[in-house]
Amino acid sequence: LRGIEVTSCEVVGNRALIPDKQITGRVTQRAARKGNMVVGGSIKTDLRYEGLEPLIANVFGTAGAPSTVDISAKKHVFVLKDDPDGVFGTLAYEIIKDFGIVEIPSAKIRKLKLTAKSGASPELDFDLLGFDYNNTSVVNTTTTIDTVTLPANREYAVFNALAGGETTNEEAFLLQT
């Protein structure tokens, strides 16, 4: 399993309630029924040279295998899919070590924002929606999360004047699906 280092994971779930307005002959109203679970929020992470490929591919919809450039550099090709409707992923995270896992089995990244400030690491903000969340998963457990690996090259991406990417003010790039 591949892991992603994040600076924040602000994902919340809210169960919609459907009111029951039927007349029962009693003074009290009937209890509401469960509606859809609405899950949404964002995952923020610093831009790194490796490790964010699954999230970025989820935004674009198509990703080819990276090719090696020179000796160790990797070139990635992400292509915007014409119809990104069927592109979903599973987000699983551990809030407290060995306490429990929260799993969003049908997460859809709907927006990607890249923010760069001079003298700081660029930050990616993935805004997502989900249909449901599960805190009793039999697939993603505390034991499974302990087997997650991070990429070997976890260096931050850097923009500088020599690369032509110097920013004097905060700049934001936005991609929405």
Side-chain angles (χ1 to χ4, degrees):
L1 295 171
R2 296 180 60 184
I4 297 167
E5 291 178 288
V6 299
T7 54
S8 71
C9 183
E10 301 166 6
V11 179
V12 295
N14 188 10
R15 172 77 63 190
L17 296 176
I18 301 169
D20 190 341
K21 298 180 181 181
Q22 298 181 68
I23 299 173
T24 62
R26 296 187 180 169
V27 178
T28 58
Q29 184 176 349
R30 294 180 58 129
R33 298 181 315 258
K34 289 182 185 178
N36 286 336
M37 175 65 73
V38 179
V39 180
S42 71
I43 302 170
K44 293 181 182 175
T45 182
D46 290 326
L47 182 61
R48 295 177 183 271
Y49 287 112
E50 284 186 43
L52 297 172
E53 298 90 344
L55 283 174
I56 296 171
N58 194 285
V59 172
F60 282 87
T62 306
S67 58
T68 303
V69 179
D70 295 330
I71 297 172
S72 62
K74 300 285 185 185
K75 179 180 179 183
H76 299 275
V77 178
F78 299 103
V79 179
L80 194 59
K81 189 175 177 184
D82 290 338
D83 182 14
D85 284 348
V87 181
F88 293 91
T90 298
L91 172 66
Y93 58 96
E94 189 173 34
I95 298 173
I96 300 172
K97 176 81 173 127
D98 295 332
F99 182 71
I101 302 297
V102 174
E103 176 189 74
I104 302 168
S106 56
K108 173 81 170 169
I109 298 176
R110 62 181 182 165
K111 184 171 31 173
L112 167 64
K113 181 179 178 182
L114 169 64
T115 305
K117 296 178 185 177
S118 183
S121 296
E123 181 183 72
L124 288 173
D125 183 353
F126 297 90
D127 187 52
L128 61 92
L129 282 176
F131 172 72
D132 203 355
Y133 75 85
N134 182 7
N135 60 358
T136 58
S137 174
V138 295
V139 176
N140 291 303
T141 64
T142 56
T143 305
T144 309
I145 291 293
D146 289 340
T147 65
V148 168
T149 58
L150 295 171
N153 179 6
R154 293 166 38 211
E155 294 181 26
Y156 296 103
V158 177
F159 289 115
N160 60 41
L162 295 177
E166 180 67 23
T167 58
T168 54
N169 297 315
E170 182 175 322
E171 293 184 18
F173 305 92
L174 186 64
L175 175 66
Q176 288 182 269
T177 58

